[in-house]
Amino acid sequence: MAEQDRFYITTAIDYPNSRPHIGTAFEKIGADVQARFRRMEGASVHFLMGNDENTNKVTLRARELGLEPKAYVDDMARQFQEVWTALEISNNDFIQTSEARHHEGCKKFIQAVYDAGDIYQGVYAGHYCTGCESFKTEKEVAESGGKCPNHPNTPLSWVEEENYYFRLSAYRDRLLAFYAENPDFIQPESRRNEIVSLVEGELKDVAISRKGFTWGIPVPFDPDQTIYVWFDALLNYVTAVGYGNDDERFARLWPADVHVIGKDITRFHCALWPAMLMSAGIALPRKVFGHGFVYRKNEETGEVQKLSKSLGNVVEPMDLIGQFSAEAFRYYFMSQCPFGGDGEFSFERFADAYNSGLANNLGNLYSRILTMCLKYFEGDLGSTEGIDLTIWRKGLDVAALTEQLRGQVGAFDYSTALQRIWLEVVDAANRYIQETEPFKLAKTDLDATRVVLANVADWMRLTAILIKPFLPRTAETFYRAFDFESDRPWDDVSYGTAATPFSGASLRVTAPIVNGKPTPLFPKVETR
């Protein structure tokens, strides 16, 4: 496989102390869109997700439920994967850090770093957040009023213990040189500026083991210590693709093309992780993309809050999927929440976006087109040979648009891409139908009506290509509507023109029809 033909993408692995919420799902959908897009571009994609199980949180939660940690994490892994399946997430692999492959790789890695002289033993005393499973600097604590900036409702603990340390401070100059040589390594740009500033300042050594824990991975050169959760967790990206157990597979898939993670953990991924890899003599990932958060608007007070179990404002994805659909969930969070920035959720806003963008627009167009084909031509428009199938695109440079969209999707600028698809492609079809009025034209000129409907069928084919990374099930429905060839690349804009007719000799409705009408894609919901 050529280097440019493979694409390895990962998400952050999740703590399984509770089920995933909409903020967690935001990250997974964003990574899934990228994975699907890259497949359409011809890449062989390896898409990794997983759960971060070697944590004290797991032990505490399992104990509360009267379970052994392994039984608990296995059941939570099942629950997480049920949610990801419901959201059409197309990951190839799901790693649990309690798996043997991860344990083996972690032991090999930490031994390599130890042999390189970058691990030493010392005593640490500091503020520890059980929510982050990390120590907080005096500066962070002071700036947050004595609290953890990410978990203000979780009291900090003062911890003093003997640990092993990683010499992160020794990698300051190498990290800065790497950032300078690879300016696109940290994205978006705002995240890059934060990390460069952090590393230019005081870069301290990091505790990488804990003493007295029975759940976790033992340090190979000191079995009384377990590998600290962050040193352990980051290694999933290499252990999942063969490090420590399959050298050929590791050489084929590593380095990762992009790690998709939350902005709150960029310092681990962009400073600690590269330094760890440098120490072990392993190539660095090509990019880290730190997405923003989803905040929830309190519909009584109007206050916008971070999602938090302690605030009682967490929303589970399955609740929205059940009320609307997985496609509606994907549409809202990719179109209304900038992936590189922060987004806002409320049930009212979700329903409004669903009705306006999907029910009244995309879904309505689908139903109108098929209904007219059935009503006026019994679903068979005949051969498209000789018909100019670009008439509906009047004023729209599709080739230029798709090239621009390619750049936006590749850069994770999903909300801009979707807004442009709706404004420039979906609205073009609406304008074309308004101008030609096929429902009136059919009374006097069926040949002209056939040309109009063939054109809006071409709109459906092109739209299916453009929305497929975002709304895969809707795209497949569009493809099936006229039995279009569905395995088309992102920029295939010529397919279906007069020079290159549709697949097959005729254009015939092949969508499921009930009582003479197509099944509604997005039934409108009442919001008042």
Side-chain angles (χ1 to χ4, degrees):
M1 184 191 302
E3 180 72 10
Q4 65 269 23
D5 292 336
R6 72 104 171 120
F7 190 83
Y8 178 26
I9 181 171
T10 74
T11 66
I13 53 176
D14 302 308
Y15 287 137
N17 59 312
S18 61
R19 287 172 57 83
H21 57 63
I22 57 175
T24 317
F26 177 59
E27 173 177 291
K28 310 314 178 195
I29 297 171
D32 182 65
V33 169
Q34 195 67 210
R36 290 177 179 276
F37 168 69
R38 299 290 177 166
R39 291 189 189 105
M40 293 180 73
E41 292 279 85
S44 176
V45 173
H46 188 75
F47 178 14
L48 172 70
M49 291 167 40
N51 278 359
D52 185 4
E53 298 173 342
N54 299 320
T55 74
N56 192 39
K57 289 181 180 180
V58 161
T59 305
L60 296 175
R61 183 60 180 151
R63 188 180 300 154
E64 288 177 8
L65 297 174
L67 297 172
E68 290 298 317
K70 183 57 177 170
Y72 171 75
V73 297
D74 286 349
D75 185 62
M76 290 303 293
R78 175 191 61 77
Q79 293 185 45
F80 270 71
Q81 290 180 85
E82 284 179 352
V83 176
W84 306 146
T85 298
L87 283 171
E88 308 280 349
I89 306 299
S90 62
N91 57 300
N92 306 74
D93 193 4
F94 186 93
I95 189 167
Q96 295 178 242
T97 59
S98 61
E99 292 180 51
R101 59 171 168 166
H102 183 69
H103 281 228
E104 292 169 10
C106 281
K107 290 176 181 178
K108 178 181 177 179
F109 189 97
I110 198 170
Q111 187 67 55
V113 175
Y114 182 78
D115 292 344
D118 284 329
I119 293 177
Y120 65 91
Q121 198 166 19
V123 177
Y124 188 83
H127 299 283
Y128 187 79
C129 174
T130 56
C132 298
E133 297 256 7
S134 67
F135 289 96
K136 300 299 166 183
T137 65
E138 292 294 341
K139 181 181 178 182
E140 287 177 309
V141 174
E143 289 178 349
S144 303
K147 301 176 181 179
C148 170
N150 297 318
H151 299 90
N153 296 319
T154 301
L156 292 171
S157 303
W158 183 261
V159 175
E160 296 184 30
E161 62 183 31
E162 188 176 58
N163 305 121
Y164 284 95
Y165 282 78
F166 172 62
R167 297 184 195 276
L168 180 59
S169 60
Y171 285 86
R172 178 181 178 276
D173 291 343
R174 287 184 64 180
L175 286 170
L176 291 173
F178 177 76
Y179 302 151
E181 293 165 6
N182 300 273
D184 294 331
F185 173 65
I186 307 171
Q187 293 294 321
E189 185 68 18
S190 59
R191 312 278 185 261
R192 182 180 187 277
N193 296 337
E194 292 171 7
I195 296 302
V196 171
S197 177
L198 170 72
V199 175
E200 285 177 337
E202 187 178 9
L203 197 62
K204 293 186 176 182
D205 294 347
V206 177
I208 61 168
S209 71
R210 301 295 303 275
K211 191 172 184 178
F213 287 83
T214 56
W215 175 252
I217 305 172
V219 173
F221 44 84
D222 187 345
D224 290 336
Q225 299 260 351
T226 54
I227 301 174
Y228 171 53
V229 60
W230 271 106
F231 198 90
D232 153 19
L234 290 163
L235 291 172
N236 89 92
Y237 304 130
V238 294
T239 62
V241 291
Y243 181 84
N245 54 67
D246 190 337
D247 293 343
E248 184 278 329
R249 185 168 185 259
F250 183 63
R252 185 175 74 251
L253 290 175
W254 188 260
D257 289 273
V258 61
H259 295 314
V260 179
I261 51 106
K263 65 180 181 179
D264 57 329
I265 54 175
T266 49
R267 65 188 179 98
F268 294 106
H269 284 78
C270 300
L272 175 60
W273 179 225
M276 288 165 55
L277 292 167
M278 289 175 182
S279 178
I282 298 173
L284 273 60
R286 297 190 173 99
K287 183 179 293 185
V288 176
F289 190 93
H291 64 79
F293 291 150
V294 174
Y295 292 90
R296 181 175 175 186
K297 185 176 182 179
N298 186 308
E299 295 177 31
E300 294 182 0
T301 66
E303 181 185 1
V304 177
Q305 304 167 320
K306 185 179 177 181
L307 296 172
S308 167
K309 286 198 301 181
S310 61
L311 292 175
N313 64 356
V314 168
V315 180
E316 289 204 14
M318 297 303 283
D319 293 340
L320 288 172
I321 294 170
Q323 185 176 352
F324 295 89
S325 67
E327 296 286 276
F329 191 104
R330 293 174 67 102
Y331 171 75
Y332 178 83
F333 286 103
M334 293 298 98
S335 67
Q336 306 301 308
C337 303
F339 198 63
D342 294 327
E344 183 182 314
F345 168 84
S346 70
F347 284 100
E348 181 180 4
R349 187 173 175 181
F350 189 102
D352 286 344
Y354 168 86
N355 280 334
S356 62
L358 297 179
N360 297 338
N361 204 332
L362 195 67
N364 185 48
L365 266 172
Y366 169 84
S367 295
R368 290 177 72 191
I369 293 165
L370 296 189
T371 298
M372 287 188 286
C373 289
L374 292 164
K375 181 176 181 181
Y376 305 131
F377 298 95
E378 296 183 342
D380 190 351
L381 296 178
S383 173
T384 59
E385 187 173 357
I387 296 178
D388 181 358
L389 296 174
T390 65
I391 301 172
W392 72 271
R393 309 178 187 181
K394 183 175 65 176
L396 176 64
D397 187 339
V398 175
L401 174 63
T402 51
E403 186 60 29
Q404 293 162 8
L405 290 172
R406 170 192 272 121
Q408 289 165 344
V409 176
F412 295 86
D413 189 4
Y414 300 146
S415 57
T416 299
L418 277 172
Q419 287 162 16
R420 292 194 66 190
I421 292 169
W422 255 248
L423 285 171
E424 299 180 45
V425 180
V426 178
D427 284 358
N430 277 314
R431 286 193 299 272
Y432 178 65
I433 290 175
Q434 290 170 358
E435 291 168 1
T436 56
E437 296 184 313
F439 42 88
K440 293 182 180 179
L441 190 62
K443 297 176 182 178
T444 58
D445 192 339
L446 281 177
D447 286 339
T449 305
R450 190 167 72 90
V451 170
V452 171
L453 294 180
N455 266 268
V456 288
D458 180 75
W459 164 83
M460 190 178 293
R461 178 202 59 79
L462 177 62
T463 301
I465 293 173
L466 298 181
I467 67 172
K468 188 173 182 178
F470 303 97
L471 305 177
R473 190 172 290 273
T474 303
E476 288 301 320
T477 299
F478 277 24
Y479 283 130
R480 289 198 307 271
F482 290 97
D483 198 23
F484 298 138
E485 185 179 344
S486 62
D487 188 18
R488 306 304 303 180
W490 170 263
D491 62 349
D492 188 2
V493 296
S494 64
Y495 175 73
T497 65
T500 310
F502 286 117
S503 170
S506 65
L507 196 59
R508 183 176 181 83
V509 173
T510 52
I513 303 299
V514 179
N515 297 325
K517 294 182 180 180
T519 304
L521 288 185
F522 301 105
K524 188 174 180 179
V525 299
E526 295 300 324
T527 58
R528 297 289 187 275

